[in-house]
Amino acid sequence: MEEFEKQLEALFEATKTIKINELSKAIDVSPSTIRTWRGRNKIPESAFRKAEQIRQNVPENKTDKRINLPFYEVSASAGDGRLVEAEEQTHLISFAPEWLDKEIGVNPKEVFLMLVEGDSMYPTLKNGAMIMVNKDFSGLSDGIYVMRHEHNLLVKRLQLLPGGIIKVKSDNDMYEPWEINKENLNGTDIELIGRVVWSGQRM
């Protein structure tokens, strides 16, 4: 139960609550649901995503409209890749427009949220981390991107090398880097989806 208590404390801290009934209201679940989690000794990732959203948002201003960002329940693999059969939007998550503008510097119409699957980008991105992906990026520069490679959806660090070569790297040293030619980007087999501009994950 020690692991559960640590996770519960993390939720309290992220939502700035101290009681179960306060936490349940903050993350929009019933107190009985939280007791069920205690019995299972596991808190679902959805609760941490909701708590992270609460933590990252600026204080609520009733005159300030929230912006809904699409969240896709498909995973960009941070491992060997995953065949993506569908990318249907399942629900929306709201953010404060001021936070998106000043803290992240993105156009809300050009970003979406999805999850990371695998450990190849550890410790930068853990398995299950939520990432915000900006589809509107001017020019290619070193950074972390979501890309489709031979029907696999990947999240990798790209490094530009001389001669139009791009090194595709993992932050986990257990995975070997590989190279692609810049001329092959956004073709049939390789397509850049967007640049990762923010991540939310459990510590």
Side-chain angles (χ1 to χ4, degrees):
M1 300 291 283
E2 182 179 352
E3 180 63 25
F4 174 85
E5 296 299 332
K6 289 181 180 179
Q7 294 179 7
L8 185 62
E9 186 62 31
L11 287 182
F12 281 138
E13 182 178 352
T15 57
K16 292 182 172 59
T17 57
I18 58 175
K19 298 179 180 179
I20 293 295
N21 62 335
E22 295 174 348
L23 176 63
S24 67
K25 291 180 181 179
I27 61 176
D28 198 25
V29 300
S30 67
S32 60
T33 297
I34 297 178
R35 288 193 290 270
T36 300
W37 296 343
R38 185 186 297 274
R40 295 175 181 174
N41 198 29
K42 183 179 181 181
I43 297 177
E45 288 294 335
S46 58
F48 290 101
R49 293 197 295 269
K50 179 65 175 178
E52 181 64 22
Q53 176 192 343
I54 293 171
R55 187 181 72 82
Q56 290 289 342
N57 284 344
V58 296
E60 184 175 359
N61 181 344
K62 293 184 179 179
T63 63
D64 186 23
K65 293 182 179 180
R66 296 286 185 180
I67 294 179
N68 291 328
L69 298 185
F71 172 70
Y72 296 87
E73 286 190 346
V74 293
S75 299
S77 174
D80 294 328
R82 177 178 178 272
L83 181 64
V84 177
E85 297 179 354
E87 294 178 26
E88 294 183 0
Q89 179 180 312
T90 54
H91 57 275
L92 299 171
I93 298 178
S94 63
F95 288 82
E98 182 180 359
W99 183 77
L100 289 170
D101 179 33
K102 294 184 178 181
E103 297 295 327
I104 308 300
V106 294
N107 179 351
K109 296 181 180 180
E110 298 294 339
V111 294
F112 64 92
L113 303 166
M114 66 189 310
L115 301 181
V116 171
E117 183 180 86
D119 66 351
S120 79
M121 289 302 291
Y122 180 86
T124 306
L125 297 174
K126 298 179 182 179
N127 182 41
M130 176 184 289
I131 55 175
M132 183 182 295
V133 184
N134 185 16
K135 297 179 291 183
D136 181 24
F137 55 94
S138 56
L140 182 65
S141 59
D142 292 359
I144 299 176
Y145 292 81
V146 173
M147 59 185 295
R148 184 178 285 107
H149 180 243
E150 296 179 349
H151 304 292
N152 296 321
L153 201 61
L154 306 173
V155 54
K156 295 292 180 183
R157 186 179 298 279
L158 302 186
Q159 179 184 1
L160 275 64
L161 300 177
I165 301 299
I166 300 174
K167 179 176 286 188
V168 183
K169 303 166 58 178
S170 301
D171 286 2
N172 187 336
D173 293 338
M174 294 181 63
Y175 292 80
E176 294 291 333
W178 44 284
E179 296 179 352
I180 56 178
N181 195 303
K182 190 175 182 179
E183 294 180 353
N184 295 330
L185 282 180
N186 299 326
T188 303
D189 296 328
I190 303 173
E191 178 188 5
L192 285 185
I193 305 299
R195 181 169 185 149
V196 178
V197 294
W198 172 88
S199 70
Q201 57 193 357
R202 181 173 55 181
M203 300 301 293

